[in-house]
Amino acid sequence: MATVRLSNISKTYPNGAKAVHPTSFDIADGELIVLVGPSGCGKSTLLRMVAGLEDITTGELSIGERIVNTLDPAERDIAMVFQNYALYPHMTVGKNMAYGLKNRGIDKATIAAKVDTAAQMLNLTEYLDRRPSQLSGGQRQRVAMGRAIVRDPALFLFDEPLSNLDAKLRNQMRIEIRALQRRLNTTAMYVTHDQVEAMTMADRIVVLNGGQVEQIGTPSEIYRAPASTFVASFMGAPPMNLIPAHYNGNGTVAVGSLSLPIARPADHKGEVVLGIRPEDATIGGTTPFKLDLIEELGANRLLHGTIDGNAFTVNAPNDDQPLATDLTLSLPNDTLHLFHGESGVRL
Amino acid sequence: MTDTTLSMPVQVAPRGRRIRLSVIGDHFVLILGALFMMAPIYMTLTTASHENLTIHREGLQFLFGGELLNNFDAAMFGQGGFSGEITGMSMLKNSLILGMGFALGKIVLSMMAAYAIVYFRLRFATFAFWVIFTTLLLPLEVRIVPSYEVITGLGLANTYTGLIVPLLASATGTFFFRQYFLSIPEELVEAARIDGAGPVKFFIDILVPLSRTMIAAIFIVMFVYGWNQYLWPTLITTDEGLYTLVRGIKQIRQSLAESNQIPAYGQAMALSIIAILPPVLIVVFLQNWFIKGLVESDK
């Protein structure tokens, strides 16, 4: 249990490639923060720098009260769960969990007690004498969790821990990890490329793109007020519709020949990008929409089509009614997001 | 091997399956091949069961005679050589020391070399590896004169050290271990680092147990290779007390032939059988490990 503070942490590889631009944020005690972004955005590098597996080029990292920049991973009081579990294949589940404690010179009785507690917590008691290869993917992931728990660390680090599991198990483990982290009240840093995982698990999300932080906020902040077109299109499924438009400062946005009123005026005049979440648009209104394709999702259906030649998706409740190709949509003005035409920054 | 987790599926042929002609053909070829390979060993054994005189007069024997035990007894426990100091047992001991020392030494050395090359950020690690690898082009036979010079210069002639150490550097072993280490996932190293395992602990606690099938496979190859060494032991051991079986067999026969006696053919044949046995036994008993080491990674 500790607060973690990253101040101006950056990573430049010896070949000059900048993986992470100076980044600063704090993780509060007991908070689970999710780093999310497309592959190559630097989220894993950032996590590995916190873990001590990667050198920090500039900046200062503190876990608890200590500055840990130069400490070995083992001395940072952290535990990490890897994507491919990284269990020692030749050791039993029990020994896998005990290995870190053994190396710290903790006496056997204490280790056994800790391993037992963790195994009970994770329903692994009957598997303690098995080897990782005799376990299923979900069980292995739990062993990896157990190995992290027994160390009773100040900080949990998760490096895409669920991406090797199938979809159903992933949902289940997501809940288990979240519940466990809450229960232990241990600060955690969680890396994923899956925005659903990020939205469902995080206390706060850090969205990264190209080694830079695009936005830091709670899941609902990120969803309600994405800071840029990148965040808008990355977070949310299906992604937000982004349409190039023109804003002349008089309270309406022009999309081709259409004119849409906006709720609050913006400072920037000229080229803008108009963003509308698929679930915010409803059928029946004044905006003409040409329907091309329907994707059935069960309770909902996705209507793919165009508004004035721009691709547009609507997430509508499924009422099993056939739809004409020429529809009208209502786009409530308080759900419209405006972004700068060039920089993509929210206006 | 209680810790085997991925047991090989045992193929059980369903009973009453029709035997196809091709199967018969395959087995015919296999049996013929086996017989062809086994025949010399059989003849060695049969010949070892006759008196020297019979062998001297009639050549190799195809049927068993009555002297088998006597010949083996004489070969193993009878005094031989110029000095009369060596027995089959002492040569067997020397051979085992050479085979074991050779195999274990090579494994330890090449494993550590591979460990250094793969896991440590050495300057020129790749270059070092290729330098080691090119020593494959310089087997002992090529560098035998300088090697001999060095070893005698160090006063190591006629010692076990002199016998074993010059043969220990192994590019093949280093290569195999390097390839194996490269296939071990990076995360395992990182997990061990977070678990507080330093370089030595990681090597002993993680790498060595993980490589055990690999070690067994290389041990087999290297033991047989070391056991069969002939040229280097011949050069470096002039003291009969250090003779190995492989070179001793010839020596016994030769030394007796040079005096006006009938060579001890029977004993030589008996020693040949003894010399064949340990490598065969090792391969027979460790073949499971050998195959696992080559095909299975167990990661």
Side-chain angles (χ1 to χ4, degrees):
Chain A
M1 272 170 275
T3 47
V4 177
R5 170 161 294 160
L6 289 80
S7 24
N8 290 313
I9 299 284
S10 79
K11 176 75 189 178
T12 310
Y13 282 108
N15 64 10
K18 258 191 165 325
V20 177
H21 294 271
T23 300
S24 303
F25 58 87
D26 290 357
I27 311 176
D29 190 7
E31 187 181 28
L32 192 151
I33 208 155
V34 173
L35 306 181
V36 69
S39 49
C41 71
K43 58 189 189 296
S44 282
T45 313
L46 201 54
L47 185 85
R48 292 166 55 82
M49 282 195 288
V50 174
L53 298 170
E54 205 77 70
D55 288 337
I56 298 169
T57 312
T58 65
E60 202 173 81
L61 171 70
S62 61
I63 299 173
E65 299 303 310
R66 294 185 304 162
I67 292 168
V68 296
N69 278 39
T70 54
L71 290 186
D72 264 353
E75 296 162 4
R76 292 193 180 191
D77 201 11
I78 50 152
M80 187 156 168
V81 177
F82 294 87
Q83 179 178 354
N84 65 0
Y85 325 127
L87 301 174
Y88 310 118
H90 60 289
M91 293 185 193
T92 61
V93 168
K95 283 191 178 146
N96 258 292
M97 299 211 278
Y99 186 64
L101 299 178
K102 204 181 104 192
N103 285 340
R104 285 172 160 191
I106 294 170
D107 67 281
K108 275 186 182 168
T110 317
I111 295 179
K114 283 190 174 208
V115 169
D116 271 353
T117 317
Q120 263 169 23
M121 213 184 280
L122 296 159
N123 292 326
L124 285 170
T125 310
E126 56 187 305
Y127 303 109
L128 279 179
D129 290 326
R130 300 233 190 133
R131 269 157 209 285
S133 54
Q134 291 163 299
L135 302 178
S136 69
Q139 288 167 337
R140 285 183 210 187
Q141 190 57 64
R142 281 214 286 273
V143 177
M145 290 284 301
R147 189 167 65 177
I149 291 171
V150 292
R151 302 194 49 185
D152 196 13
L155 174 66
F156 279 140
L157 301 171
F158 297 94
D159 190 4
E160 309 210 12
L162 303 182
S163 45
N164 277 9
L165 302 176
D166 62 58
K168 200 176 158 193
L169 204 54
R170 202 178 305 162
N171 289 347
Q172 186 194 329
M173 288 300 294
R174 203 164 71 197
I175 298 164
E176 279 186 35
I177 291 180
R178 184 61 175 137
L180 204 63
Q181 189 266 340
R182 279 262 166 81
R183 198 166 134 198
L184 298 167
N185 199 26
T186 305
T187 316
M189 206 168 161
Y190 188 108
V191 160
T192 180
H193 60 263
D194 182 352
Q195 55 93 16
V196 179
E197 236 167 84
M199 294 293 281
T200 52
M201 297 184 73
D203 289 318
R204 278 192 304 153
I205 298 175
V206 177
V207 185
L208 287 156
N209 183 29
Q212 260 163 334
V213 174
E214 292 271 339
Q215 188 172 6
I216 301 177
T218 63
S220 88
E221 279 168 14
I222 300 247
Y223 180 80
R224 297 284 165 217
S228 66
T229 48
F230 173 81
V231 179
S233 60
F234 192 77
M235 303 300 287
M240 185 185 277
N241 296 298
L242 296 170
I243 301 170
H246 191 84
Y247 180 65
N248 51 18
N250 61 1
T252 58
V253 177
V255 179
S257 54
L258 295 169
S259 174
L260 299 167
I262 54 167
R264 56 185 182 85
D267 298 337
H268 173 77
K269 286 179 192 170
E271 296 310 309
V272 294
V273 174
L274 180 67
I276 306 150
R277 294 249 175 231
E279 47 274 29
D280 287 337
T282 48
I283 297 172
T286 53
T287 313
F289 173 69
K290 196 170 171 306
L291 178 64
D292 293 329
L293 183 78
I294 301 177
E295 257 187 298
E296 298 283 353
L297 296 179
N300 284 27
R301 53 184 171 184
L302 299 182
L303 315 178
H304 297 286
T306 53
I307 288 180
D308 196 50
N310 300 296
F312 196 90
T313 302
V314 180
N315 189 349
N318 191 354
D319 52 5
D320 287 324
Q321 298 299 314
L323 290 166
T325 46
D326 286 307
L327 298 167
T328 52
L329 296 178
S330 136
L331 308 172
N333 62 0
D334 56 344
T335 65
L336 303 185
H337 306 261
L338 274 191
F339 302 98
H340 194 284
E342 280 155 27
S343 64
V345 174
R346 182 180 188 83
L347 294 173
Chain B
M1 294 190 299
T2 49
D3 46 12
T4 317
T5 49
L6 301 166
S7 57
M8 299 251 174
V10 181
Q11 297 267 324
V12 182
R15 280 188 184 279
R17 198 181 63 176
R18 278 217 334 266
I19 297 171
R20 271 169 294 141
L21 210 61
S22 67
V23 176
I24 298 176
D26 290 350
H27 278 80
F28 180 73
V29 172
L30 285 174
I31 290 168
L32 209 66
L35 284 178
F36 183 75
M37 301 300 285
M38 299 280 281
I41 299 171
Y42 170 77
M43 283 173 64
T44 311
L45 196 61
T46 51
T47 309
S49 66
H50 288 271
E51 278 184 52
N52 294 336
L53 192 63
T54 324
I55 304 167
H56 195 58
R57 273 205 311 249
E58 299 170 20
L60 294 174
Q61 300 293 309
F62 289 90
L63 296 172
F64 279 100
E67 294 292 309
L68 189 66
L69 290 180
N70 287 342
N71 276 336
F72 267 95
D73 185 52
M76 290 313 290
F77 302 107
Q79 311 287 309
F82 289 116
S83 56
E85 277 171 2
I86 47 169
T87 63
M89 287 308 278
S90 74
M91 292 194 291
L92 186 65
K93 186 190 84 187
N94 290 337
S95 275
L96 281 173
I97 289 172
L98 174 61
M100 287 293 202
F102 184 85
L104 294 177
K106 273 193 180 232
I107 286 169
V108 170
L109 211 62
S110 54
M111 221 174 149
M112 296 206 297
Y115 183 50
I117 290 169
V118 175
Y119 287 104
F120 292 85
R121 252 172 268 159
L122 299 174
R123 272 171 160 246
F124 313 119
T126 319
F127 177 72
F129 170 70
W130 285 109
V131 167
I132 294 174
F133 202 67
T134 47
T135 58
L136 275 182
L137 301 174
L138 295 170
L140 183 80
E141 287 76 3
V142 177
R143 56 185 166 89
I144 200 151
V145 175
S147 292
Y148 184 82
E149 274 294 319
V150 170
I151 293 302
T152 48
L154 290 171
L156 291 173
N158 283 319
T159 61
Y160 287 123
T161 319
L163 188 62
I164 294 169
V165 169
L167 303 170
L168 284 187
S170 171
T172 348
T174 311
F175 177 71
F176 278 126
F177 279 118
R178 172 186 180 262
Q179 298 308 100
Y180 182 71
F181 290 168
L182 285 177
S183 76
I184 289 175
E186 187 75 14
E187 283 88 351
L188 216 54
V189 186
E190 293 172 348
R193 276 183 71 190
I194 291 177
D195 270 343
V200 177
K201 263 199 177 141
F202 176 70
F203 187 69
I204 291 169
D205 286 350
I206 315 277
L207 221 44
V208 171
L210 274 183
S211 320
R212 62 193 190 284
T213 49
M214 195 74 195
I215 292 172
I218 291 181
F219 177 81
I220 293 170
V221 175
M222 292 306 176
F223 180 83
V224 174
Y225 185 34
W227 181 271
N228 288 334
Q229 282 296 316
Y230 179 72
L231 183 60
W232 182 250
T234 309
L235 269 177
I236 208 70
T237 57
T238 46
D239 178 354
E240 289 185 331
L242 286 170
Y243 278 11
T244 61
L245 269 179
V246 176
R247 79 159 297 199
I249 294 167
K250 178 185 169 280
Q251 206 66 23
I252 281 187
R253 207 182 63 80
Q254 199 176 30
S255 66
L256 293 176
E258 278 164 3
S259 51
N260 286 323
Q261 287 178 15
I262 297 169
Y265 291 118
Q267 288 182 38
M269 293 295 174
L271 280 179
S272 303
I273 295 289
I274 301 286
I276 291 168
L277 274 180
V280 170
L281 290 178
I282 284 205
V283 171
V284 166
F285 285 110
L286 293 183
Q287 61 173 330
N288 263 340
W289 285 85
F290 183 65
I291 292 164
K292 276 162 66 97
L294 295 182
V295 301
E296 187 194 291
S297 50
D298 190 26
K299 278 187 287 293

